[in-house]
Amino acid sequence: MQYNPGWNGSSVNVLHVRAVGQGDTLHYVWSSIGVPAVLLVATRSPSSSLGIDWGRLLSPNPTGAIWIEPPDSVVYSAAIVFTKVFEYSKADMLEDVFYPTYDLSNFSWDSINRTMNHTALTAELVGVPATDPSSSFSNGSLAFRVTAYQTSGRDGTLPSLLHTANSSKVEFVLAGVAPRSNSSRFVLEVATVEEMGVRQRLRSTRSIDDEYTPTIFEMFSLVAESQNDSSTLSFLQWKATAYGSQTPKREDSIQCRSSSLQAANWTLPGSSIVSAYFGDGVGSTYTVSAVNISFGGEDGNVYEEKRYLSWSALLGFGQPPKDTFSPLVISIMAVALGTPAVLLLGGSCVLLFAQRKRYTEYEPIN
């Protein structure tokens, strides 16, 4: 993990996470310039590096300010952008009432260098609106917490996402932000940037196994697939839940829903790392899609109680990790399904034996 590579200032945030394999390198470039975003670049060189022209990056036209050396080593690149946060409420079960949008391109962000932990491979982008007419952020903040992984495993805290060394985690957190109604719900808008020839698909999978995330049976995956061979190139994966506590438990669960994936009919902020890497082709050479992720059940009030909301997602390259039944669950299922089968088989044997045994009142003649 490297903060602002090649730049000594701390007025902007660029975090470069580099994962080196035997014959390839994975690059994650996080930034709050313009709007919170992450570049995902996979190369077939174990020595590929990130290049930044800081003068151009901080100019009104940052096109070409970010690149990978050597350029011909890049085999795949994409971006995930967190653009806006909506807040709305229901007025007597009528139409939704939307409040002024929190546009994340208008936020001011603390230096990520203060929160970097090179041992745990974590960092945090913390921001507040540049202008806050409603004073909602007077005692609160919005944050994106980033975690990189060196090995495969499972997070110890809910929702206990299964991860690999090819993935990272991002956690969206609202803490202490005053809601503008007694039943506010929040929506996070997430956009993706992909090359032509790559299609985005939003998948929903259900499982009867909720061992690691109690009462949650649904998983969403936003995957990028090659149109040539249908191989999965990258993913954003999350469970259908958020939590209302810093130390989440089952009872802190907040319902999480996802809208359908839509082609974005708006442009991304020009002064961002997305335009710095992809250039002016965003929207033409590169496609932009968006999905809205909402938090809050039918009754609302879940955020009002603790004024804390946390939603976690996994992002990375290749196929998203798939949960499988643990030995404990397999054993329980074997006992639950096997015991009736054994009893049924044993009862059938007893009945057959009883039918074959004949009874008579006469004594056998010797």
Side-chain angles (χ1 to χ4, degrees):
M1 298 179 69
Q2 189 177 9
Y3 173 70
N4 285 355
W7 177 261
N8 294 325
S10 58
S11 59
V12 295
N13 290 312
V14 174
L15 175 66
H16 180 210
V17 181
R18 184 167 172 261
V20 182
Q22 294 182 351
D24 56 6
T25 305
L26 306 178
H27 298 269
Y28 296 87
V29 186
W30 299 85
S31 178
S32 61
I33 298 176
V35 66
V38 55
L39 294 175
L40 292 84
V41 184
T43 72
R44 54 171 170 260
S45 169
S47 59
S48 62
S49 60
L50 174 70
I52 300 179
D53 182 337
W54 282 97
R56 184 179 298 178
L57 180 62
L58 302 179
S59 70
N61 183 18
T63 300
I66 294 178
W67 66 93
I68 297 293
E69 288 286 352
D72 58 359
S73 67
V74 176
V75 294
Y76 173 73
S77 57
I80 297 174
V81 188
F82 304 97
T83 52
K84 298 174 183 176
V85 173
F86 303 98
E87 181 182 353
Y88 71 98
S89 63
K90 288 186 178 292
D92 299 327
M93 302 303 293
L94 300 177
E95 293 184 359
D96 297 336
V97 176
F98 279 83
Y99 300 96
T101 303
Y102 293 121
D103 191 334
L104 300 187
S105 64
N106 296 327
F107 272 50
S108 60
W109 303 90
D110 293 342
S111 172
I112 201 173
N113 195 37
R114 303 174 186 173
T115 61
M116 284 183 62
N117 186 324
H118 290 275
T119 302
L121 297 178
T122 59
E124 188 172 358
L125 278 169
V126 182
V128 296
T131 58
D132 187 19
S134 62
S135 300
S136 297
F137 279 79
S138 57
N139 295 310
S141 63
L142 181 151
F144 293 95
R145 296 173 181 167
V146 179
T147 302
Y149 299 108
Q150 291 181 318
T151 59
S152 299
R154 187 182 297 276
D155 278 353
T157 58
L158 292 174
S160 305
L161 293 173
L162 181 67
H163 61 79
T164 69
N166 292 346
S167 59
S168 295
K169 184 181 75 170
V170 59
E171 184 180 1
F172 167 67
V173 178
L174 278 179
V177 178
R180 288 173 280 188
S181 80
N182 294 329
S183 58
S184 284
R185 291 104 178 220
F186 293 92
V187 179
L188 175 64
E189 184 180 72
V190 182
T192 63
V193 180
E194 294 288 348
E195 302 171 345
M196 297 297 288
V198 177
R199 62 185 177 188
Q200 286 277 356
R201 292 184 59 189
L202 182 61
R203 301 174 180 171
S204 173
T205 57
R206 293 181 178 271
S207 171
I208 63 172
D209 184 10
D210 68 339
E211 177 184 6
Y212 299 106
T213 312
T215 72
I216 306 301
F217 302 95
E218 188 173 16
M219 175 84 82
F220 289 97
S221 297
L222 182 59
V223 297
E225 298 179 342
S226 171
Q227 293 183 350
N228 295 330
D229 54 11
S230 297
S231 60
T232 302
L233 303 173
S234 66
F235 65 87
L236 180 70
Q237 183 185 62
W238 64 95
K239 291 195 173 182
T241 185
Y243 292 94
S245 172
Q246 296 185 36
T247 55
K249 300 178 182 178
R250 180 173 60 89
E251 55 268 25
D252 300 316
S253 177
I254 297 174
Q255 188 176 24
C256 173
R257 294 179 176 176
S258 301
S259 69
S260 58
L261 185 66
Q262 301 289 337
N265 56 1
W266 36 260
T267 57
L268 296 173
S271 58
S272 68
I273 61 169
V274 176
S275 56
Y277 181 82
F278 291 104
D280 298 328
V282 175
S284 56
T285 308
Y286 303 92
T287 58
V288 182
S289 304
V291 62
N292 287 341
I293 302 168
S294 61
F295 312 101
E298 293 296 331
D299 56 349
N301 302 324
V302 288
Y303 178 80
E304 174 67 21
E305 296 176 4
K306 297 183 179 180
R307 295 197 177 184
Y308 188 89
L309 185 148
S310 170
W311 170 78
S312 299
L314 197 72
L315 56 98
F317 299 87
Q319 288 280 357
K322 291 184 179 180
D323 268 318
T324 56
F325 291 113
S326 69
L328 174 63
V329 172
I330 293 175
S331 300
I332 294 173
M333 293 175 64
V335 171
L337 299 177
T339 300
V342 171
L343 292 175
L344 181 62
L345 180 61
S348 300
C349 293
V350 171
L351 289 175
L352 289 174
F353 179 76
Q355 289 178 357
R356 288 186 176 184
K357 187 176 180 181
R358 297 179 178 179
Y359 296 92
T360 178
E361 297 178 355
Y362 295 96
E363 292 293 331
I365 299 175
N366 188 350

